Amino acid sequence: MKDIDQELIDWAIDTIKNEYKEDVALLIGQKGGCKIPTDNQNIAFDFFIPATDRGYQLSQTFVIEDMGYDLFPISWERLEGIADLNERITFAFMNGVVLYARTKEEEQRFLDLQQTVRERLKEQSYREKKAMEKVEAVMEIYKSMAFSKNLSEVRKAAGGIMMYLSYALATYNGTYINGRFGKEQYVYEVIGMKEHPEDFEIRCNLVISGTTVQEVQNAVHGLIQSVRDFLLARIEKTTEERNYNYEDLASWYYEARYSFRRFDYYAAQGDTFSSYELGCYLQIEFDELEKEFGLNRMDLLGVFDVHNLKGYKQKAEEIEEYILAVLKEHEVPVKIYPDLKHFLEDQNKNNKE
């Protein structure tokens, strides 16, 4: 088809200047966006940033010959979310060029946000955090997919999962998926990156070649497991670089002591359901403590055995002792009193001081 990209850019800019001069901050273009290899790979308009609510009225979708066009709005707030690596269209933002700017300040704001992305992709801890957030999102999708019996629905979810895992690996590698197809499709982008699971392409092929619901579900499970294990094995703990307030850990412990006490009682009574339920509650807390205070793995539920609650009870005691040892190591005075008398004496002492 005839190359009309520049003519459409001129039309869009004229429309903004004549009808939305105070309502549109920026018009952004992208080279080769939404095109096929036989199209001219020139810069075309992509999206715009409204300055007022009226600015959203510039939005249009239409077809010329056989090409679809979408002049769509992205707010500054959403753009900031994209800059935080929260969305999959990072490529549209980062490949974007300013075609029109209402003010120099707004153009600079856009360029500054692009620089923010570059800086965040250089920051290891931020990349790791965002990569794992995407894996966690994938696991949520899989939860629903695992119960579906409809092949079309399962395949749709599988496609989304493959894409999100690709974003996770790209983020971990300090880059982003470019959203292209053919030889630059995201699976090929990932396997061209420095760090990725060796079996990524193989597992993606298993996903798309599955002919039954069970085959696709199993292949997706294996793909998620592979990427998750890959990232977890490589994400370095940076806990020593952080400053933790271990007094907060002490406060948690005082409140959690009643949960330890109830757990101890029901496990000793041989009450499997109650001790299992309390163990689940404690495990959720332990998992959060690991993140918040850089603690070692505290795996209580991993040792649960309906035939050996004694070992389960002992594990909880070991974890409690470990938490108290961490507080002692960081010289946090622990307010544990043998009786009411000692508690009141301490209170009176503090009041006098």
Side-chain angles (χ1 to χ4, degrees):
M1 65 173 288
K2 180 183 175 183
D3 177 16
I4 59 173
D5 290 326
Q6 187 58 52
E7 293 175 73
L8 283 173
I9 290 172
D10 294 340
W11 163 81
I13 293 174
D14 287 342
T15 302
I16 293 170
K17 288 180 176 179
N18 293 327
E19 300 178 34
Y20 299 94
K21 189 174 182 180
E22 300 303 321
D23 304 298
V24 172
L26 298 175
L27 176 67
I28 306 301
Q30 184 185 169
K31 186 176 182 179
C34 299
K35 294 188 175 184
I36 60 176
T38 55
D39 292 331
N40 291 310
Q41 303 299 307
N42 299 322
I43 291 176
F45 64 61
D46 193 13
F47 63 91
F48 66 94
I49 302 174
T52 67
D53 288 342
R54 184 177 180 276
Y56 285 88
Q57 296 176 19
L58 176 64
S59 176
Q60 287 198 51
T61 53
F62 49 89
V63 175
I64 297 178
E65 294 186 34
D66 66 343
M67 180 69 178
Y69 295 89
D70 184 8
L71 181 57
F72 66 98
I74 294 182
S75 67
W76 283 114
E77 291 74 19
R78 185 183 175 194
L79 208 60
E80 287 166 356
I82 296 171
D84 288 337
L85 307 182
N86 292 333
E87 292 199 38
R88 66 182 184 86
I89 60 170
T90 307
F91 69 92
F93 175 33
M94 294 305 291
N95 295 338
V97 294
V98 177
L99 301 175
Y100 163 85
R102 186 176 65 157
T103 66
K104 284 289 183 183
E105 291 77 14
E106 286 166 320
E107 179 176 9
Q108 190 58 50
R109 182 179 178 183
F110 180 84
L111 298 176
D112 287 345
L113 282 173
Q114 285 186 324
Q115 183 59 28
T116 296
V117 175
R118 296 186 191 99
E119 290 171 359
R120 284 175 175 161
L121 287 173
K122 291 178 182 177
E123 186 181 336
Q124 181 179 346
S125 61
Y126 194 85
R127 295 199 319 264
E128 291 173 352
K129 174 189 171 186
K130 289 300 178 179
M132 290 310 300
E133 282 180 6
K134 290 171 175 58
V135 172
E136 288 167 7
V138 157
M139 292 168 70
E140 288 299 316
I141 298 172
Y142 180 77
K143 288 178 185 178
S144 298
M145 174 193 178
F147 289 95
S148 177
K149 296 181 181 179
N150 183 290
L151 184 57
S152 179
E153 290 293 322
V154 168
R155 280 177 169 159
K156 180 175 67 175
I161 286 171
M162 284 197 299
M163 190 175 291
Y164 267 97
L165 290 175
S166 297
Y167 298 148
L169 290 167
T171 301
Y172 177 74
N173 277 275
T175 186
Y176 49 87
I177 296 297
N178 274 298
R180 298 193 176 97
F181 296 94
K183 294 180 180 180
E184 295 179 304
Q185 194 264 354
Y186 61 81
V187 174
Y188 300 114
E189 277 197 81
V190 169
I191 62 177
M193 292 174 187
K194 183 178 179 181
E195 296 195 64
H196 63 276
E198 291 183 4
D199 60 355
F200 185 76
E201 183 179 8
I202 294 172
R203 290 193 177 277
C204 286
N205 276 321
L206 288 174
V207 171
I208 67 174
S209 62
T211 57
T212 67
V213 166
Q214 191 66 56
E215 285 177 357
V216 177
Q217 288 171 334
N218 289 344
V220 168
H221 183 275
L223 177 63
I224 296 172
Q225 189 75 63
S226 173
V227 174
R228 186 171 184 269
D229 288 349
F230 174 86
L231 290 174
L232 288 175
R234 285 160 178 76
I235 291 178
E236 297 179 0
K237 285 191 175 182
T238 55
T239 55
E240 66 277 4
E241 300 174 6
R242 296 177 56 184
N243 295 318
Y244 298 109
N245 185 349
Y246 288 98
E247 296 212 354
D248 288 344
L249 178 60
S251 296
W252 174 89
Y253 174 73
Y254 302 143
E255 187 175 344
R257 176 83 272 278
Y258 75 88
S259 296
F260 279 111
R261 184 170 182 268
R262 288 194 298 173
F263 176 92
D264 185 74
Y265 173 79
Y266 288 108
Q269 294 296 312
D271 186 332
T272 55
F273 282 112
S274 295
S275 59
Y276 181 82
E277 181 182 353
L278 286 162
C280 289
Y281 169 76
L282 284 170
Q283 190 65 65
I284 292 170
E285 295 289 302
F286 295 157
D287 291 348
E288 286 302 311
L289 292 180
E290 290 171 23
K291 298 175 185 176
E292 289 183 26
F293 299 99
L295 302 184
N296 294 335
R297 178 65 180 148
M298 297 177 286
D299 186 1
L300 176 59
L301 289 178
V303 302
F304 175 79
D305 183 346
V306 293
H307 304 296
N308 182 22
L309 291 184
K310 182 178 179 181
Y312 185 47
K313 179 175 177 291
Q314 182 179 343
K315 183 64 175 179
E317 292 169 356
E318 292 173 0
I319 291 173
E320 184 175 7
E321 290 171 2
Y322 165 65
I323 293 171
L324 289 172
V326 169
L327 292 173
K328 183 178 180 181
E329 178 187 349
H330 292 89
E331 300 180 346
V332 177
V334 181
K335 295 184 289 185
I336 299 178
Y337 305 95
D339 52 40
L340 179 61
K341 177 184 176 183
H342 285 81
F343 169 75
L344 293 175
E345 287 176 352
D346 191 47
Q347 293 296 304
N348 290 330
K349 179 181 176 183
N350 290 336
N351 290 335
K352 289 177 181 178
E353 293 177 354

